[in-house]
Amino acid sequence: MEYIRRNQGTCSVQTRVELDPDHTIRKVEVLGGCNGNLKGICQLLAGMKAEDAIARMAGTTCGSKPTSCPDQISKALQEALERL
């Protein structure tokens, strides 16, 4: 299942996730933001259960911002799970 979410409050503008029916993350792609860091995060997430990734990244902030790219990824994963 593919889900695309428009990011809010970050330099990145969009997160695209692909989930298997058992909630395993197949792929994550983030448009914009810190390219190298986000590529690394996306590679680490592949094969992880969405619930575990959400637990690790939800609520992460960036500087004085109340959110971050990892937090936005967690939101995309949560919304994708709700649609499975």
Side-chain angles (χ1 to χ4, degrees), residues 14 27 33 38 59-60 78:
Q14 179 178 288
K27 188 174 187 178
L38 289 169
T60 302
Q78 184 63 50

Side-chain angles (χ1 to χ4, degrees), residues 1 10 13-14 20 24 34 36-37 40 42-43 46 49 52 60 66 71 73 80 83:
M1 178 253 197
T10 59
V13 294
Q14 179 178 288
D20 289 331
T24 300
C34 301
N37 289 335
C42 292
Q43 289 175 348
K49 292 291 186 182
D52 294 335
T60 302
D71 184 51
I73 294 170
R83 286 165 175 74

Side-chain angles (χ1 to χ4, degrees), residues 9-78:
T10 59
C11 300
S12 62
V13 294
Q14 179 178 288
T15 298
R16 181 179 157 284
V17 299
E18 289 182 27
L19 293 180
D20 289 331
D22 69 351
H23 301 184
T24 300
I25 299 168
R26 182 178 299 160
K27 188 174 187 178
V28 177
E29 294 178 335
V30 181
L31 249 72
C34 301
N35 188 267
N37 289 335
L38 289 169
K39 282 182 184 174
I41 289 170
C42 292
Q43 289 175 348
L44 290 170
L45 293 174
M48 185 182 285
K49 292 291 186 182
E51 293 86 350
D52 294 335
I54 292 165
R56 291 179 183 196
M57 296 187 302
T60 302
T61 59
C62 182
S64 62
K65 296 177 185 177
T67 190
S68 65
C69 293
D71 184 51
Q72 293 296 300
I73 294 170
S74 75
K75 291 177 187 309
L77 289 168
Q78 184 63 50

